[in-house]
Amino acid sequence: MSPSPERRGELLATAAEVFAAQGYNATTVRKIADTAGMLAGSLYYHFDSKESMLDEILSTFLDELWARYDAVLAAGLGPRETIEALVTESFREIDRHRAAVAIYQKESKHLRPQPRFGYLADSQQKFEKAWLGTLERGVAEGVFRADLDVRLTYRFVRDTVWVAASWYRPGGQHSPEEIARQYLSMVLEGIALRA
């Protein structure tokens, strides 16, 4: 009898929360098993290693993120609408995969050189290309200011959006879409009253 997909999903969610809270290297299989209410050896019935759990958590998050980003990028939207849609999808992913986002932020720099996690570097390059390309297109089309430093803008938007995983909790006062609207308002319109 093979393990159920539901149980496997529950265990991955537990592992993701523990990795996000303690860090990958500091997390033991025993800690994950204890948190899941099972014996450490029983975890190996579902996964062959701690690394396999981490790989599945990160690859699932990135596969879902890219499915949504690719749909936005293929939609033929203008630059501003593309940025708005990418920010909104980012917050939706933080809502769905908050722990995976936190793990990605903390661990990807150390994991990228490992062959098993080479997809992290590929994803980072693809991410940068999508965002920078959209910003550059916006400047070229006169949608964004001509004096905009697109690389600095990209870093600012990226960091202000993704750091939200450190404080965001699903089911909180604001939906991902509401938070995205507020962020976009601040990024695209500023916070000062217009004279």
Side-chain angles (χ1 to χ4, degrees):
M1 187 171 155
S2 63
S4 75
E6 294 81 17
R7 182 61 175 150
R8 185 179 177 82
E10 290 168 6
L11 293 172
L12 282 172
T14 299
E17 290 296 334
V18 177
F19 289 147
Q22 296 190 340
Y24 175 71
N25 287 331
T27 299
T28 63
V29 170
R30 179 179 300 281
K31 176 62 179 171
I32 296 167
D34 288 348
T35 305
M38 63 194 306
L39 298 172
S42 300
L43 203 52
Y44 290 107
Y45 178 65
H46 301 273
F47 305 96
D48 64 1
S49 66
K50 180 175 87 164
E51 185 179 62
S52 292
M53 287 183 270
L54 181 65
D55 184 14
E56 193 165 335
I57 290 163
L58 291 175
S59 63
T60 298
F61 154 62
L62 289 172
D63 287 349
E64 190 173 306
L65 174 70
W66 278 109
R68 295 175 187 283
Y69 271 18
D70 287 342
V72 168
L73 296 169
L77 303 171
R80 181 183 174 121
E81 293 78 17
T82 300
I83 291 292
E84 290 170 345
L86 290 173
V87 167
T88 301
E89 289 303 336
S90 298
F91 279 106
R92 288 176 178 153
E93 286 305 303
I94 291 169
D95 182 61
R96 282 188 281 270
H97 297 286
R98 186 199 55 77
V101 172
I103 295 164
Y104 180 86
Q105 290 174 331
K106 290 178 191 173
E107 309 289 349
S108 65
K109 182 179 179 182
H110 305 292
L111 294 170
R112 276 193 296 252
Q114 298 177 31
R116 182 173 194 161
F117 293 99
Y119 62 87
L120 296 176
D122 296 340
S123 184
Q124 181 59 40
Q125 289 175 348
K126 188 176 173 184
F127 189 86
E128 188 171 307
K129 182 179 176 188
W131 285 80
L132 283 174
T134 302
L135 290 167
E136 288 166 352
R137 186 166 55 100
V139 170
E141 293 177 13
V143 175
F144 301 138
R145 294 187 347 233
D147 65 335
L148 199 66
D149 181 321
V150 292
R151 186 160 292 279
L152 185 60
T153 304
Y154 155 69
R155 288 179 177 150
F156 172 77
V157 173
R158 176 197 65 194
D159 293 351
T160 56
V161 168
W162 291 103
V163 77
S166 67
W167 57 260
Y168 178 80
R169 294 298 173 264
Q173 181 179 357
H174 301 290
S175 72
E177 294 79 11
E178 291 173 278
I179 295 171
R181 276 193 296 277
Q182 284 292 316
Y183 267 61
L184 286 163
S185 172
M186 288 182 278
V187 168
L188 297 172
E189 310 300 334
I191 62 171
L193 286 172
R194 300 204 185 274

